Amino acid sequence: STQRNVTALVSDGVRFLGPVFGEVASGESGMGRMAEPEMIVDALLSAQRAQDFFGRHIVVTAGPTIEDLDPVRFISNRSSGKMGFAIAAMAKARGARVTLIAGPVEIATPLGVDRVHVRSAADMQVALDRVLGNDLKGADAVVMAAAVGDYRPRDVREKKWKKQGDSVAVELVKNPDLLASLGAKRTGSTPMLVGFAVETEKAQLLEYARKKGAEKRVDLMVANLASDAFGADTNRAWFVEQNRHTELPVMTKDALADAILDEIARGIAD
Ligand code: CTP
C-alpha cells in the first residue's frame, strides 16, 4: 500500500528524494535508507533555481596551490577555496555539469560536482589541459578562482633541508600563468574566461584588475580585497571589464557566486 500511495503522489507531481540503498536503522541493508542530507539540500537548491546552465560544462579552479621546498616544507597562500567551491555548487544547482579543480582544502565536494585534486600550479595546468582539451572546447566557461602560486622553488630537495646559518635564500622561478595561457590559446569566444584579482590596496584595485584582465585576455575579472575575501563567508567584489566596472555590495560568497554565474550566463548566451 505504501508503494501504491507513492505512485499516486508521484503522478500528482510530488517528487520523492530517496529512499536510497544502504544500511538502515535495524542494521540491515536494503532499499530504505534516508537520502543523505547533502543530497536533500542539493535537490532543494536546484528545485528553486532556473536550470539556465543545463547542457553547459563549467570548469572552476579553487583554493591555493602548494609549491614544495622539501618533503616537509612548502610555500603556499591563504586562499580558503570557499569562493570557488561556492561557484561550483551554484553552477551545479543551476543545471551545469561542473568540474572543480581544487588545490588542497578541507571542504566537502559539492554533490554531483566532479572534483580533481591538485597540489602545485603545474598539477593544475595538467588537469586544466586534460579537462579542456587542446582546442579548449571542453568547457563553456573557465572560472579561475584558484590562488595559483606565481613562483615555485627552483630546486625541490629530495631530503629534508637542514638548518644552517642565520639566513638562507630560496631561489624562486616563475610558474606559468595558467589563465594567461588559456587567453593566448583561445580562438573565438569559447570558453568564456573569468579571472580573479585580489589586492591589499583599494586605490589601485580596479586599475590592476583591468590591466590583468587585458594582459591575460579574459572576459571578466572579479576584483576583491584580501581583507574582505580571505577565509570569510562574505565578500565585496567589483566586476571589471575593459570599459566598465560594477561595484557589488557585501554579500555571502553563495550570493556572489550566483551574481558571477549571471554574468557568465549572459556571456555564453551570445
Ligand atoms: N593565475 C593563473 N596562473 C598563475 C597566477 C594566477 O592562472 N600562475 C590566475 C588566478 O587564478 C587569478 C588571476 O590569474 O584568476 C590572478 O592574476 P594574478 O596576476 O596572478 O594576480 P596576482 O597574483 O594577485 O598578481 P600580482 O601578484 O602581480 O598582484
Side-chain angles (χ1 to χ4, degrees), residues 4-18 44 47:
R4 274 200 315 276
N5 291 340
V6 167
T7 308
L9 286 165
V10 168
S11 68
D12 285 349
V14 174
R15 221 179 116 200
F16 282 78
L17 296 173
L44 291 173

Side-chain angles (χ1 to χ4, degrees), residues 61 121 144-150 175-180 194-199 212 216 221:
T61 66
M144 287 292 300
V148 185
D150 288 325
N175 272 331
D177 190 313
L178 312 187
L179 185 54
V194 180
F196 275 71
V198 69
E199 298 292 345
K212 283 176 196 176
K216 297 175 198 244
M221 289 297 286

Side-chain angles (χ1 to χ4, degrees), residues 169-246:
V170 179
E171 193 182 351
L172 302 176
V173 292
K174 200 142 197 208
N175 272 331
D177 190 313
L178 312 187
L179 185 54
S181 60
L182 296 180
K185 209 165 161 193
R186 175 174 67 159
T187 51
S189 55
T190 304
M192 180 173 175
L193 298 177
V194 180
F196 275 71
V198 69
E199 298 292 345
T200 50
E201 310 305 318
K202 173 134 186 293
Q204 290 123 321
L205 177 66
L206 298 182
E207 178 198 329
Y208 282 146
R210 194 163 282 128
K211 188 161 169 278
K212 283 176 196 176
E215 282 168 2
K216 297 175 198 244
R217 300 169 75 174
V218 309
D219 303 295
L220 172 69
M221 289 297 286
V222 181
N224 51 187
L225 291 166
S227 52
D228 291 329
F230 278 175
D233 289 325
T234 57
N235 198 357
R236 180 167 60 133
W238 287 256
F239 288 155
V240 182
E241 288 158 279
Q242 278 324 295
N243 37 27
R244 71 176 182 117
H245 69 262
T246 316

Side-chain angles (χ1 to χ4, degrees), residues 29-70:
S29 282
M31 182 56 85
R33 186 180 164 82
M34 188 187 97
E36 295 303 320
E38 293 83 354
M39 181 186 158
I40 298 172
V41 170
D42 185 65
L44 291 173
L45 277 176
S46 304
Q48 284 173 350
R49 291 177 191 279
Q51 299 296 289
D52 54 347
F53 279 85
F54 183 77
R56 301 294 195 171
H57 182 208
I58 308 296
V59 173
V60 184
T61 66
T65 59
I66 283 187
E67 304 298 343
D68 287 317
L69 279 158
D70 73 7

